Amino acid sequence: MVNQSSPMGFLLLGFSEHPHLEKVLFVVVLCSYLLTLLGNTLILLLSTLDPRLHSPMYFFLSNLSFLDLCFTTTCVPQMLSNLWGPTKTISFLGCFVQLFIFLSLGTTECILLTVMAFDRYVAVCQPLHYATIIHPRLCWKLAGVAWIIGLVESVVQTPSTLHLPFCPHHQVDDFVCEVPALIRLSCGDTTYNEIQMAVASIFILVVPLSLILVSYGAIARAVLRIGSAKGRRKALGTCSSHLIVVTLFYSSVIAVYLQPKNPYAQERAKFFGLFYAVGTPSLNPLIYTLRNKEVKRAFRRLLWKEVEPS
């Protein structure tokens, strides 16, 4: 795939207009990336090694952790290089690969969070039928659907975005190759791409978020019908971590993809995009481990087995 209007690649401006922030952001991004690697690898390890975590909830959580690992690794090394040094370029092929993976994994996460909301809905609203409804084969199918939808979205939108006629300066006003920033870089007609992005936003952001809200509306009604305060706390405890993750993820994604067209909104969207790409993957493991007794018990069991021989 070659676009003659960008033979040498792009210049990622990032936060170059705030040079005093770049070194600070470098430290923040590096620390967040290390936390992402450590936290998500730990969840994958526990979900694999501990038989008590071999359940649908932790199957989906391990999918989310693997996705976050791949998602951040797609953009963070390039981002760290740009923040540290004066060179902020990315090749056309590198931009293509980054955009393709970024779109695919971002879409997959939207669908996966919806699947996890459905899992929590069944656990709270249909507890007696949970094992029958959410069986292992369905879990694999739902996870597979999420990954396939992400791949299809990227296959459709990435080539059409990078086939745009780009302005000669090739300056992308962002820290990664993202669809909104590349559309703004185009000097040609972007109507088709803007319609495509709007339609994708409806099916990948609005519809999944609406389904999540409907699920949590049903969960809230079911919780209110529980007689004991202890039962209500237990039911809410199974959903609170996921609800926090959904809030953080969708608020940042909506700020990036559904922003108004003005310089202030674009500048603000870069910071939301940074949080979306770096912040949420590092916070997800902390949210799930700090608020989840079963994960903490699994971690203690893993440590105890490792120190037991000595």
Side-chain angles (χ1 to χ4, degrees):
M1 176 183 175
V2 177
N3 185 338
Q4 294 301 323
S5 66
S6 55
M8 300 302 294
F10 301 97
L11 179 68
L12 297 173
L13 295 180
F15 299 96
S16 55
E17 69 275 21
H18 304 293
H20 58 286
L21 283 179
E22 288 194 323
K23 294 299 184 285
V24 175
L25 287 174
F26 177 88
V27 175
V28 171
V29 171
L30 178 61
C31 292
S32 297
Y33 184 50
L34 294 176
L35 282 175
T36 299
L37 295 178
L38 178 63
N40 287 291
T41 301
L42 178 61
I43 287 179
L44 284 171
L45 190 65
L46 293 176
S47 300
T48 303
L49 297 180
D50 196 308
R52 300 187 193 186
L53 298 186
H54 291 175
S55 66
M57 176 180 174
Y58 298 104
F59 170 78
F60 294 128
L61 179 57
S62 61
N63 267 267
L64 181 64
S65 294
F66 177 72
L67 189 152
D68 282 341
L69 282 173
C70 298
F71 188 74
T72 53
T73 302
T74 302
C75 61
V76 168
Q78 175 77 41
M79 194 186 307
L80 290 173
S81 174
N82 291 353
L83 287 171
W84 185 257
T87 303
K88 303 180 187 301
T89 57
I90 183 171
S91 68
F92 184 78
L93 178 60
C95 185
F96 175 84
V97 172
Q98 187 180 81
L99 179 62
F100 186 89
I101 299 176
F102 209 71
L103 268 178
S104 177
L105 297 183
T107 302
T108 301
E109 185 156 356
C110 290
I111 307 301
L112 188 60
L113 289 173
T114 310
V115 170
M116 293 173 76
F118 171 69
D119 172 68
R120 295 299 84 204
Y121 162 78
V122 177
V124 174
C125 300
Q126 304 287 335
L128 299 179
H129 302 286
Y130 180 78
T132 304
I133 298 173
I134 310 294
H135 50 81
R137 187 169 57 183
L138 179 63
C139 292
W140 280 100
K141 287 181 179 179
L142 291 174
V145 166
W147 286 91
I148 290 171
I149 291 175
L151 181 62
V152 170
E153 159 62 11
S154 191
V155 167
V156 171
Q157 199 161 359
T158 300
S160 63
T161 302
L162 287 176
H163 268 121
L164 285 168
F166 296 115
C167 296
H169 58 76
H170 299 157
Q171 295 179 355
V172 179
D173 190 17
D174 211 329
F175 53 87
V176 292
C177 288
E178 266 279 46
V179 174
L182 290 170
I183 288 178
R184 290 195 301 270
L185 178 61
S186 176
C187 289
D189 183 15
T190 61
T191 303
Y192 171 76
N193 299 84
E194 291 176 6
I195 292 173
Q196 188 183 57
M197 188 172 70
V199 171
S201 297
I202 291 172
F203 284 102
I204 294 168
L205 293 178
V206 178
V207 172
L209 182 58
S210 300
L211 293 174
I212 291 172
L213 293 176
V214 169
S215 297
Y216 275 103
I219 288 171
R221 290 194 297 270
V223 169
L224 291 175
R225 289 197 295 266
I226 298 175
S228 66
K230 182 179 179 181
R232 287 195 295 269
R233 284 196 301 270
K234 184 178 179 181
L236 289 173
T238 64
C239 305
S240 57
S241 297
H242 177 256
L243 189 56
I244 294 171
V245 169
V246 166
T247 302
L248 293 174
F249 177 80
Y250 273 95
S251 59
S252 56
V253 172
I254 288 172
V256 173
Y257 283 92
L258 301 180
Q259 56 171 310
K261 289 186 175 181
N262 62 71
Y264 173 73
Q266 292 172 13
E267 184 68 20
R268 184 180 57 186
K270 277 197 283 188
F271 285 94
F272 278 108
L274 183 66
F275 182 74
Y276 157 60
V278 179
T280 53
S282 64
L283 290 175
N284 288 353
L286 293 175
I287 293 168
Y288 276 107
T289 54
L290 292 178
R291 300 180 61 87
N292 191 303
K293 294 180 180 179
E294 196 58 45
V295 173
K296 288 188 281 190
R297 290 187 190 125
F299 182 59
R300 286 196 292 268
R301 286 193 293 268
L302 179 65
L303 291 179
W304 183 76
K305 285 180 181 180
E306 289 180 352
V307 302
E308 185 181 23
S310 60

